[in-house]
Amino acid sequence: MNTKEYLVQSIVSQMTIYLMNDYNWDMQTALRTIYHSELFQKLDDPEIELYTQSPKYVYLFLKKELTTGKYI
């Protein structure tokens, strides 16, 4: 696993916990939501380097996507 993959998975792990706490979702629902989000595509993009940001910061984009349908 390279550094980028590690950072992405660390952020996904933390965002899963945030979703489970904020929405009372189970782990499968939280992970499915993350991996099928527009945000995840951006999180994994090496040109944007969103994976270098804190999990909480990235989670704010996910919450916005969940409420508005768009991550930005």
Side-chain angles (χ1 to χ4, degrees), residues 1-33:
M1 176 182 295
N2 65 33
T3 302
K4 180 182 142 294
E5 291 170 346
Y6 174 79
L7 292 172
V8 168
Q9 291 308 314
S10 295
I11 291 172
V12 167
S13 175
Q14 192 61 48
M15 287 195 311
T16 302
I17 294 168
Y18 294 152
L19 286 172
M20 291 170 64
N21 290 335
D22 289 351
Y23 295 97
N24 294 316
W25 290 350
D26 60 42
M27 186 181 299
Q28 288 180 330
T29 302
L31 285 168
R32 189 177 321 114
T33 299

Side-chain angles (χ1 to χ4, degrees), residues 23 25 33 37-39 58-72:
Y23 295 97
W25 290 350
T33 299
S37 69
E38 182 180 345
L39 173 74
V58 176
Y59 180 63
L60 293 174
F61 287 107
L62 181 61
K63 281 183 72 171
K64 182 169 178 121
E65 182 178 342
L66 292 174
T67 58
T68 66
K70 292 287 182 183
Y71 102 100
I72 289 190

Side-chain angles (χ1 to χ4, degrees), residues 41-43 45-52 71:
Q41 295 171 8
K42 303 299 182 187
L43 180 62
D45 188 336
E47 289 185 23
I48 297 175
E49 294 188 345
L50 191 55
Y51 55 84
T52 63
Y71 102 100

